[in-house]
Amino acid sequence: MIAVEKALEQYGAPVYVRHEIVHNKYVVRTLEKKGAIFVEQTEEIPPGNIVMFSAHGVAPVVHEEAERGRLATIDATCPLVTKVHKEAVRFAGEDYDILLIGHEGHEEVIGTSGEAPDHITLVDGPADVEKVEVRDPSKIVWLSQTTLSVDETMETVDALKEKFPQLISPPSDDICYATQNRQLAVKQMGAEAELVIVVGSRNSSNSKRLVEVAKLAGARESYLVDFASEIDEAWLEGVTTVGVTSGASVPEVLVEEVLEWLDARGYGDVELVRAAEETITFSLPKELRRDLREEAAALVAERTALVAERGGSGSASGSEGASAE
C-alpha cells in the first residue's frame, strides 16, 4: 500500500497496478480513490504509463509484456516471494524437479511457476501427492507459496517425503514471517476463545488460513470479515471470550473498528496475544528513486521514432523499385 501511495505522490495519477497490490478490499478501495487503477492484464494499460507489479510477484513473461507495451515498471514484489522465485530459478538451473506447494490459480503460484514452467509441478495439498510424478526421485525439491498455513504445508511435505524419501527442503523457510507469527498467535487464542474473528478479505489466502487455524486450535467458531459492520451479533451468543486477529496486509484501523464494535457490546477487556516481535522492515521498490514518467515518455517516443523510421525506409525502397522498372 505504501509503495502505491508513494508512486502516486511522486508521479501523480494514474498509476496502474497489475492485480490487487495486496488481497484486501479496504486497501484497494482506498488506493483507487487516490488515483490507482487496478487491472488484470498488462495489455489493458495504454503505452507510456507506469505499472506496478503486486506483492504476489509476476512471471518473467509479464515483464516482457510491459516492455513490449512501452510501460515503465515498479516491481513491488514482496522480498520473501522474490526469494522463492530465485530458488525456483536456481533449482531449475540444476535440473531439479520442483514440487511447488500452493493453491491453484493464486497469483503468487502463477508467478513462481512462470519462473521455471518446465520444472515445476503444483501440489495443492496432501490429496494431490498421490498423482505427482517426477523424472528422478533422487533429484527433487519442494518450495511453497508464502501465505500458506505452516501446518498444512508440513502435512503436504510429510506426505511427499513418504512417497519421495530423497525429497530435499529449500535452504530457508518459505512461509512469510508475518503469516507464521499470526498463525502462532491464533493457536494460543483459539485455545482460550470460543469465537475468533479474523479481519481480512475472502481472496486473501493467509486470512482464510487463520480461520482454519483458529478452529483447529479449539475455537468453537471462527469467521472472516472485511469490516466490523459484517459481524453478526448472533455469533456472540454464549460467548465469553472473543479472539480478534487480522491478515498480514490488513490496516490496523479495521482491527480497531472491530474492537470498538465488541467494546460497545460488553467485550471491553482486551488482552494482547503476541507470538513474536516483528522487527523486519523492507525498503520501497528501487524504481521509486527514478523519474518513471520521463522514462515512460521516452519509451513511447522511441517506439514512435522506430515506426516512423521503418515507414520512411519502406517508401524509399518502393521508389527505387519503380525507378528500376
Side-chain angles (χ1 to χ4, degrees), residues 4-5 26 31 33 48 79 93 105 135 144 168 208 243 253 281 295 306-307:
V4 181
E5 288 177 328
Y26 175 89
L31 293 172
K33 289 175 184 176
R135 294 171 300 160
S144 80
I168 67 170
K208 290 192 291 187
V253 63
T281 58
E295 264 185 48
L306 207 58
V307 170

Side-chain angles (χ1 to χ4, degrees), residues 265-276:
R265 288 156 181 80
Y267 297 86
D269 185 11
V270 178
E271 177 186 339
L272 182 65
V273 177
R274 193 188 301 276

Side-chain angles (χ1 to χ4, degrees), residues 2-13 15 50 52 74 288 293:
I2 294 173
V4 181
E5 288 177 328
K6 181 68 177 173
L8 287 165
E9 176 189 318
Q10 190 162 326
Y11 305 120
V15 168
I50 295 171
M52 180 177 289
I74 301 173
L288 290 175
R293 287 284 179 215

Side-chain angles (χ1 to χ4, degrees), residues 7 9 61 162 166 239 241 258:
E9 176 189 318
V61 67
E162 189 171 330
Q166 292 174 282
V239 171
T241 305
V258 169

Side-chain angles (χ1 to χ4, degrees), residues 10 23 32 45 80 92 113 116 173 225 307 320:
Q10 190 162 326
H23 287 156
E32 283 177 332
I45 307 169
L80 300 173
S113 298
D173 198 349
V225 300
V307 170
E320 286 176 10

